[in-house]
Amino acid sequence: QVQLQESGPGLVKPSGTLSLTCAVSDGSISSDYWWSWVRQAPGKGLEWIGEISHSGTTKNIPSLKSRVTMSLDKSKNQFSLKLDSVTAADTAVYFCARGSHFRWHNWGQGALVTVSS
Amino acid sequence: QSALTQPASVSGSPGQSVTISCTGTSSDIGSYNYVCWYQHHPGKAPKLMIYEVSNRPSGVPDRFSGSKSGNTASLIISGLQAEDEADYYCSSYTSSDIYVFGTGTKVTVL
């Protein structure tokens, strides 16, 4: 069973860049899946951020499009999310997930990122 | 793309049935059968409960079922059990080639 684990700084300053990595074990990110990011702000629901395919094609929500960068690191079997120019509104638990056929079977436990000075 | 609309909360006694609705538009639920339901216990990873409107992944109890009519999808939990108490989210693929989640529903077992 594939395992996903998010990691990255838990505290980011306003206007800075949020950087998270999702390490994948017992599965290869070169497999035919989409590798996704979902977040949940405090007291709010889930919000799909975007995803990257095994070949590097990306999709993301229009509201974050100009600030989001997603990438793959096949040598480390992990994928990453960068979110620029963060504000307090970007404070959330960030989940990574593996998807195929329009659904996500496997999820990480989530990583809390707080935007604060 | 606006979030799909779900009731904030539903509740039921053990053994009862509850239904959670998920209302979208003709650009998402109304056009595609790519509706999923996820169970989320706070602090844990979300779990896929239903995919493609009404299909259950292996290991999900058959107490969980899904359906769709027009722009609205529904999750039915029959024979409610204490461990079903959690947050539930619907999701749908959209005509913009992106995904949208529902607002989330807290299920309480009385």
Side-chain angles (χ1 to χ4, degrees):
Chain A
Q1 176 78 322
V2 68
Q3 306 281 339
L4 296 92
Q5 180 65 60
E6 306 87 351
S7 63
L11 182 63
V12 181
K13 294 187 186 306
S15 78
T17 296
L18 179 157
S19 296
L20 288 171
T21 296
C22 181
V24 179
S25 55
D26 297 322
S28 171
I29 64 166
S30 297
S31 304
D32 190 10
Y33 290 99
W34 286 83
W35 305 94
S36 299
W37 292 96
V38 174
R39 69 181 181 180
Q40 182 176 34
K44 303 292 186 181
L46 300 176
E47 179 183 37
W48 183 78
I49 297 171
E51 61 186 10
I52 183 167
S53 74
H54 67 287
S55 60
T57 302
T58 60
K59 305 177 190 178
N60 49 58
I61 54 173
S63 59
L64 296 179
K65 190 176 181 68
S66 62
R67 298 197 289 133
V68 167
T69 302
M70 290 175 288
S71 60
L72 301 171
D73 186 337
K74 294 186 177 182
S75 67
K76 295 182 178 179
N77 209 42
Q78 62 188 30
F79 60 105
S80 299
L81 170 72
K82 290 188 187 299
L83 183 63
D84 295 326
S85 305
V86 297
T87 69
D90 295 310
T91 293
V93 174
Y94 287 76
F95 296 95
C96 59
R98 185 180 79 165
S100 70
H101 302 291
F102 309 96
R103 56 192 182 264
W104 302 285
H105 273 287
N106 308 101
W107 295 70
Q109 292 287 333
L112 173 63
V113 180
T114 301
V115 178
S116 175
S117 55
Chain B
Q1 189 75 42
S2 298
L4 307 173
T5 301
Q6 298 179 230
S9 63
V10 298
S11 62
S13 299
Q16 289 187 328
S17 295
V18 295
T19 299
I20 303 170
S21 61
C22 171
T23 301
T25 69
S26 58
S27 297
D28 38 66
I29 293 177
S31 290
Y32 304 97
N33 287 327
Y34 298 127
V35 177
C36 297
W37 289 91
Y38 296 87
Q39 178 189 66
H40 187 212
H41 289 101
K44 301 282 187 68
K47 177 183 178 182
L48 178 67
M49 304 301 284
I50 296 286
Y51 66 94
E52 291 176 7
V53 176
S54 59
N55 294 293
R56 277 188 312 277
S58 60
V60 173
D62 59 6
R63 303 184 289 103
F64 292 85
S65 61
S67 64
K68 187 186 93 166
S69 177
N71 296 339
T72 298
S74 298
L75 174 71
I76 304 97
I77 309 175
S78 306
L80 199 61
Q81 297 185 7
E83 60 261 36
D84 299 334
E85 187 160 294
D87 298 321
Y88 291 82
Y89 293 89
C90 57
S91 73
S92 177
Y93 178 70
T94 77
S95 60
S96 300
D97 194 25
I98 61 174
Y99 294 88
V100 63
F101 280 100
T103 50
T105 298
K106 181 176 181 58
V107 171
T108 301
V109 181
L110 301 172

